[in-house]
Each structure stands twice: as C-alpha cells, then as structure tokens.
Amino acid sequence: MPSLDPFFTEWAERRPGQTRSLGRASALLAALGLDADRTPVLGVVGSKGKGSTATTAAAALSAAGLRTVLVTGPSFRSYRERVRVDGTSVDDAVLDALGARIDAARRDLPTVEESGGYLAPSGLFLVAGLLRAREAGADVCVLEAGMGGRRDELRLAGPEVVALGKVFAEHVGVLGADVVEIAREKTLVAGERTRALVRLPQTPEVAAEIDAALADATGGRVGAEVVDPEAEGTEPPPALRPPGLSAASGVLGTAAAARMLEHLGIPGPDRRTLHGVLATVRLPGRLSRHTVPLPAGRAPGGEAPDAEVVVDSAIDRVGVAAALAHARGLWGGVDHVLLCLPDHKDVSGAVEVLGGLPVTAVRLPEAHLRFEHALPPHWGRMDAADLTAAALAALGRRVLALGTVYFTGRVLEAVDAPTDRLFG
C-alpha cells in the first residue's frame, strides 16, 4: 500500500475558508521543472464522461505507437489507478516515489498560509502524471480535469489539445450559476499552448459561449471543432464504442487523439490497428458486467448459478434510464437495483425512473455527502460498509448498481473486478 500523505496532507489540514491554490500549484510545477520541460498534453473536460473520453484517447494514441501516460479520477479500487502508463496502473513503489518527489518540492514552497490556499489532491495526481511521463519517456499525456476550467490544475499544464464533452448543469453554484456559465468555465482550461479544441454537439447557447470563451483564451487563434457521434462514418464504428451514454465519449476521445497526432506530426494508425486496440478498452463502472458467486446451495438441486451485477456511474434521470434499459437488454429483466445518490445528485429523477422496482438505497460514510432526500417507503436501506459479495448475491441473480463513483468503486471492490488495465 503506497503512502498517500503527499497527496492528501494539505487538503486534510485545510482550515475553514481555505481553498485550493493554483498559484501554489504553479510554484510546485516550477520547482519540479514541469513548467517548461513537460510532455505534450491532451486535456479532457466536461460535465460527464471525462474518464471514458480520456481512456479512449489514450488507447487511440497507443494504437499509433505512442507511449502514453493517462491520469484519471476518482480511482476505482486503488489510488495507483490515478496514474497509468500505456493503460496500466503504476505500482505501489512508483506511486510512493512520485509522492516523495512531490513532497520534497512541496516542503520548499512558502507555507499554505503564505500561498493563500492548499494543494488539492486531484491536482497533485496530475503533477504525478506529468512527472511519471517525463521519467518514462512518454510521448504524450492524457489528463482528465477535476471539475475543470480556469480553476483546475489542468490549465497550468497548458494542454495542446482539449477534448470537451457534453456540458450540463453539474456543479451549479460552484463553477457557475447556470449551464452557460459552466460551459465558459470549462472552456477556459485552454490557453497559450492550445492548438485545438474538439467538442461534442451542445445546445446553441452553450456552443456560442464555448466559442466566445475559446476566442478569449486563445486570442482568437483556435476555433472549436465539433465531432458528431450521429454522423455517418464517424470513428470508431458503433460496435467499438463504449456502451450506453459513454458511446459519445468514445467518439470524442478518438477524434481528440487524431488532432493530437496531427499536432505532433505523427501519422495516425490504420483503421485495422486502431480498431484492434479500441476493441480492448474496458471501462469499469461504465455499464461494466461482473460475476458475483452465490453462496453454495442457493439454487435447489445442484450447483448454484452465478449472480451478475452491472455497475454504472449514473447520477441523473437520463443516466439511470439508460443503465436500466441496458441491463434489461442483457438480462430481460432486473431483480434488484442498488442506488447511491447523495442529495446534490438527481435523486428525484432516479426515483421516477426506477418506479416500482425493488431498490435498496446505499449511504456512504463521507461526511461531506448528505443522504436526506425523501425516498419511497418500500425501498430498502444499506450502509456502504455492509456492501459485500454475499450482500450483492442475496439481492438476486440480476443486480444493477448505480450511483456516484465513490459507490461504484466499492461495488467493484466487492466483486474483485479487474481495474488495473484499461486497454491493450
């Protein structure tokens, strides 16, 4: 188990009113020599689907023969997963060494009080990815933003190419008052080094704001390029896209990778090679399907059949409906749904979509999350600490687990899902 103190110390010790400091993060990058000497960056922002976009982009770049470092978050089962080389998580020793280098540089900075804020964990994992890329001689970094925008450390990394996913009203009141303001904030991750921004189709209001913000961020040098998953001939073909709502993310990641290759002057892979690598992409917690062994003797008259769980990080009405349709398409029906949505997610929408299905609501222990929304009286209740393979198996042979990534990671842990390798 790696030491995580270097990544979480300042966040854990933050005082009321303190916020993350991009100035402090910029000083850390300079201390590590990453302000000038760093690997080319493809940055991924958006309201949902960033991890799927980033993973697909990294896979497409690997198909062209590039050595890639991928930084995503949150992790599924281990913080090692936040930094990957060619799709595979770094090991404990590598993460320890990265943390030690970051911590040594951090200790030479002015204090948190002098800096006016702390170093955020998500930003420090991004720094770790840039360090690992330099050490490993990587050709390109694919970095997933946290919330994204000018207040995200990704902006400091100066992405040459930006992939912007669908923007909707996530983080209202944090990134902006409405979806238009949020779109502007996320677009402003672009800057001086940016040479291309590839985005998914947006509403007219959001598209106009993205164009205006991009012009401001790049001095009018860069115009947004739109990739439409519905357009005929768009890569990759539907059979090689991630399932459900993540399909559009697969298209965006592939297109952004193509633009990065153009920027680097490197030929793209032929279709056969590209499709071969994309066929290996696995996205845990994105409509991923896993076996849950049932206790012996569960089925009468012989060997117990396997239970299965489909795990998806759906957080709103649309996502829950898509996941439910996907599970019914696989199984013909669903025996039970596990749902974990804090109050700031679309709990009402999920309740409406799930209707009269058997549902158990799961509560996470994190103090900053609230689970006080009124739920149907017939729903079951469960604490996340009680989530085990046996508990899943007891719910039925066809279980759909939906909710925030902090929850889906626990489900993946319970079924011992493979999460260290995402492609290749």
Side-chain angles (χ1 to χ4, degrees), residues 52 54 96 313 381:
S52 302
D96 267 335
S313 302
R381 305 291 191 275

Side-chain angles (χ1 to χ4, degrees), residues 23 44 63 79 84 99 132 242 300 322 337 341 390:
V44 180
Y79 284 103
R84 301 175 186 265
R132 184 60 186 145
V337 178
L341 291 183

Side-chain angles (χ1 to χ4, degrees), residues 12-270:
E13 296 176 351
R14 71 194 186 284
R15 297 177 181 176
Q18 282 184 339
T19 59
R20 68 197 299 159
S21 170
L22 285 194
R24 186 167 176 77
S26 180
L28 178 66
L29 288 170
L32 291 166
L34 292 170
D35 52 339
D37 179 20
R38 64 106 173 103
T39 306
V41 170
L42 189 164
V44 180
V45 294
S47 297
K48 187 68 174 172
K50 297 189 296 294
S52 302
T53 300
T55 300
T56 306
L61 291 165
S62 290
L66 274 62
R67 189 165 177 76
T68 65
V69 165
L70 171 64
V71 177
T72 57
S75 51
F76 304 113
R77 299 181 59 187
S78 167
Y79 284 103
R80 296 183 296 100
E81 301 164 357
R82 301 290 290 267
V83 181
R84 301 175 186 265
V85 179
D86 294 332
T88 299
S89 305
V90 298
D91 60 28
D92 289 351
V94 168
L95 190 59
D96 267 335
L98 292 170
R101 291 192 60 190
I102 289 171
D103 202 43
R106 178 185 69 85
R107 292 176 184 276
D108 287 338
L109 299 179
T111 65
V112 170
E113 288 72 22
E114 291 172 313
S115 299
Y118 59 85
L119 293 168
S122 61
L124 290 176
F125 282 109
L126 184 148
V127 174
L130 291 172
L131 271 178
R132 184 60 186 145
R134 188 169 66 187
E135 294 171 354
D139 300 298
V140 64
C141 278
V142 180
L143 306 180
E144 176 189 346
M147 290 186 188
R150 60 185 141 185
R151 288 176 280 180
D152 195 280
E153 288 81 1
L154 177 58
R155 181 174 68 84
L156 301 179
E160 280 85 357
V161 174
V162 175
L164 175 59
K166 188 75 172 178
V167 180
F168 56 86
E170 177 81 351
H171 305 305
V172 169
V174 178
L175 291 183
D178 54 34
V179 69
V180 173
E181 288 189 9
I182 292 170
R184 179 174 183 80
E185 181 68 22
K186 289 184 179 292
T187 305
L188 291 175
V189 76
E192 290 181 6
R193 287 172 164 161
T194 303
R195 294 297 176 265
L197 183 145
V198 185
R199 67 168 177 83
L200 289 175
Q202 312 282 343
T203 65
E205 296 81 7
V206 167
E209 192 63 30
I210 289 172
D211 289 343
L214 184 60
D216 290 345
T218 65
R221 291 182 295 101
V222 179
E225 305 168 27
V226 182
V227 56
D228 185 357
E230 301 300 322
E232 186 175 353
T234 301
E235 288 284 351
L240 292 175
R241 299 175 189 179
L245 298 180
S246 294
S249 298
V251 170
L252 177 61
T254 303
R259 281 302 274 118
M260 176 57 89
L261 290 170
E262 290 177 15
H263 168 70
L264 296 174
I266 296 173
D270 60 68

